[in-house]
Amino acid sequence: MPAETFPTIPKVLASLALRLNTEVKNHSVEIPADQGSGYCTGYVFTEHLRLLILNYELKEDLILENPDVASPTPTILFKFQHVLVKTGLHSLKKRVPSVLIATSQLHTESVISIHSNTEVINIEVDAHYLKGLFTASEKSPILRSLLTNTQPLIFEELVHPPIQKIIDELVNQPISETFELFWARIKAEELICQLLIALEKREEKQVYALNSQDVEAIYRAKEHMLAHLDTPPVINELALAAHMSPTKLKRLFKQIFGNSIFSYYQEFRMKEAARLLQAEQRSVSEVGYALGFTNLSHFSKVFYEHIGTKPKQFSRIKPKE
């Protein structure tokens, strides 16, 4: 198909515009003021690669059939969450920038729930196409399993500053209409590449197929843990609540998040300590005791290991707006 006639607008974007009684302009749908605010932007770069940027609030939830789901080709979804708003220390507790990476078996849906408040970026790429772009990694079972795409898998990566910088360039940098499609594709592929590099660094020697019940149980355990940062996780209790053995819980948690349960907990515990010290301007002792430390010297040591400075010094740093 000639490039000039290739349909570069996702069908779901056109369906949304029709549902909202508006139209697609320059690959975007602006939410009508009487129905909410924000926008949805989408691109179909090739038959192998598409991108959706969803940043809106609606007065009512909608359900749309997904006309783009019919492709028989196995795809990989990169779903970025909490990356389109300010994600500094003030919002850290509720909004942790992250990206979900899932195979077809865990993300394919025939309907899309258009929730009243959404801010995500979705990149879908053909697994076979992606596999052909670089030499297969013999040292990474995760990459092999992801690109083979024959079993249900999901991984989560936190969005660190280098990834956030690419996202900001994709969403916020002014680009003329002439280069808009080209620019968006470059940034989408750059994001995919950086995330695959991060996945290759993980140490798993074996990758286990998942099911939706396992994934839901692991995420419930994670949410429970992060809601109780003042109490170190007890593996047996988390496993009991998840209806799985402690061994399975630890194995699947590390596979999904790339970190052990306690290390993951400690990382977020220190991020919350940083938020309390700066955004809420609480004292070092208040923060240490609030997060379950009985020894402030130990708190200071752990904080330094994760943040790179002592909590007292960190509290004097002016937070970024």
Side-chain angles (χ1 to χ4, degrees), residues 252-278:
L252 295 187
F253 190 98
K254 190 170 189 301
Q255 177 174 304
I256 291 175
F257 297 106
N259 214 341
S260 70
I261 291 174
F262 186 77
S263 294
Y264 190 91
Y265 158 78
Q266 199 76 300
E267 180 178 357
F268 276 87
R269 194 185 192 191
M270 291 305 100
K271 286 182 177 181
E272 176 63 0
R275 188 189 72 83
L276 294 173
L277 286 167
Q278 277 198 350

Side-chain angles (χ1 to χ4, degrees), residues 82-103:
H82 311 312
V83 295
L84 298 176
V85 295
K86 289 185 178 180
T87 52
L89 289 171
H90 290 274
S91 59
L92 176 62
K93 191 171 184 181
K94 293 184 178 180
R95 292 181 175 272
V96 178
S98 63
V99 53
L100 303 179
I101 306 165
T103 57

